[in-house]
Amino acid sequence: MENKKIVVAIDGFSSCGKSTMAKELAAKVGYTYIDTGAMYRAVSLYAIQNGLMDATTINESALQSKIATIKVDFRPNKKGGSDVYLNDENVESKIRTLEVSNGASRVSTLRFVREHLVAMQQAMGAAKGVVMDGRDIGTVVFPNAELKIFLTASAEVRAERRYKELLQKGENTTFEAVLANVKERDERDTNRKESPLRKADDAVLLDNSTLSPEEQREWLYRVFSDTIAK
Ligand code: DC
């Protein structure tokens, strides 16, 4: 059916290339791409900016009392993609720092944060025609998504990719430090009590350790087309 719209859920470990994959598919098939990691990052930024989180502690009760006032949405940018807004401020460039990343991983363990963001994500995808990436999209946000993909790659391959990216950005780090950070985030994402990262039973598993971006693109488009044709 030509106009059939579905929900595509892409979950997996960090630094697997989920967002690149999701963004490309959305652009190709005319769907909306929703980066749910950016939403956790926006809450992390909010907590940091408002003095509710530092390197070691989160003021959970204060954050909880504010959670209903934290609005996160996406708006089109000039590059044909979208930027994330926190309470009407474009925070796209502020949410990719190491401090905000680490904070996102921490605030994402809090149930009230997850409930608030999951409700927003469900509203964003209610009309379908979305490609959403994250950790719990196929298990919690859209358990009935028509297409679920679980992406993985070895920790070493992911650390290598991330290390190269950081070097290009001029960051001074070592491969060992990046690998340790990848493993630490895997550990936290898979072992947290609230919505831990796991493959949904009906998700298609893709290990992209040895795939080229082109092979991965072709694979995804084929799986998408097969699902639409069903
Ligand atoms: O995908 P990312 O690195 O931008 O995600 C940032 C953090 O948010 C990461 O530690 C995992 C968490 N996250 C989550 O718990 N659930 C999601 N649906 C998306 C991200």
Side-chain angles (χ1 to χ4, degrees):
M1 230 167 68
E2 277 270 307
N3 292 323
K4 179 176 163 191
K5 293 230 184 238
I6 65 167
V7 170
V8 181
I10 303 185
D11 290 306
F13 290 97
S14 59
S15 306
C16 266
K18 289 189 301 296
S19 61
T20 308
M21 187 177 179
K23 225 179 274 176
E24 283 175 357
L25 178 68
K28 187 169 167 95
V29 304
Y31 276 24
T32 303
Y33 164 58
I34 298 165
D35 172 2
T36 63
M39 300 173 76
Y40 288 91
R41 288 168 183 269
V43 172
S44 163
L45 181 67
Y46 177 94
I48 294 167
Q49 284 180 336
N50 289 278
L52 305 180
M53 175 165 64
D54 61 23
T56 52
T57 51
I58 304 180
N59 185 341
E60 280 186 40
S61 55
L63 183 59
Q64 187 161 15
S65 72
K66 292 282 179 200
I67 195 77
T69 69
I70 304 178
K71 191 179 89 180
V72 183
D73 60 349
F74 295 92
R75 302 183 196 174
N77 60 26
K78 288 187 187 136
K79 291 178 277 175
S82 60
D83 289 343
V84 64
Y85 283 69
L86 167 64
N87 291 335
D88 297 317
E89 183 200 343
N90 185 335
V91 292
E92 190 62 41
S93 60
K94 292 188 183 164
I95 59 163
R96 307 283 165 195
T97 66
L98 209 54
E99 186 190 17
V100 174
S101 294
N102 287 336
S105 161
R106 288 159 60 214
V107 295
S108 72
T109 65
L110 302 173
R111 178 191 285 211
F112 62 87
V113 171
R114 302 202 71 86
E115 283 174 350
H116 183 61
L117 296 184
V118 166
M120 286 187 198
Q121 291 154 10
Q122 287 171 335
M124 289 173 185
K128 303 202 177 188
V130 293
V131 183
M132 201 174 272
D133 80 349
R135 305 292 189 286
D136 59 342
I137 311 305
T139 51
V140 176
V141 184
F142 285 108
N144 297 322
E146 291 83 352
L147 175 57
K148 299 181 186 178
I149 290 159
F150 192 86
L151 199 58
T152 184
S154 72
E156 285 71 19
V157 165
R158 289 181 285 131
E160 185 65 41
R161 292 177 188 156
R162 183 115 186 81
Y163 177 56
K164 283 188 187 147
E165 264 172 35
L166 290 170
L167 286 189
Q168 269 172 5
K169 280 191 195 164
E171 286 208 28
N172 180 17
T173 185
T174 63
F175 172 75
E176 286 69 29
V178 176
L179 180 61
N181 184 264
V182 163
K183 288 185 172 168
E184 187 190 319
R185 292 218 281 161
D186 285 359
E187 168 79 17
R188 206 183 285 144
D189 286 350
T190 40
N191 292 317
R192 67 177 177 225
K193 222 170 89 224
E194 297 300 329
S195 309
L197 171 65
R198 69 168 185 84
K199 177 185 164 301
D201 294 338
D202 53 350
V204 190
L205 180 71
L206 177 68
D207 183 330
N208 70 6
S209 302
T210 60
L211 286 188
S212 70
E214 188 52 37
E215 287 169 327
Q216 175 167 300
R217 233 174 268 133
E218 279 171 15
W219 177 88
L220 180 58
Y221 187 61
R222 196 171 58 244
V223 175
F224 174 83
S225 304
D226 289 350
T227 309
I228 288 281
K230 267 183 207 156

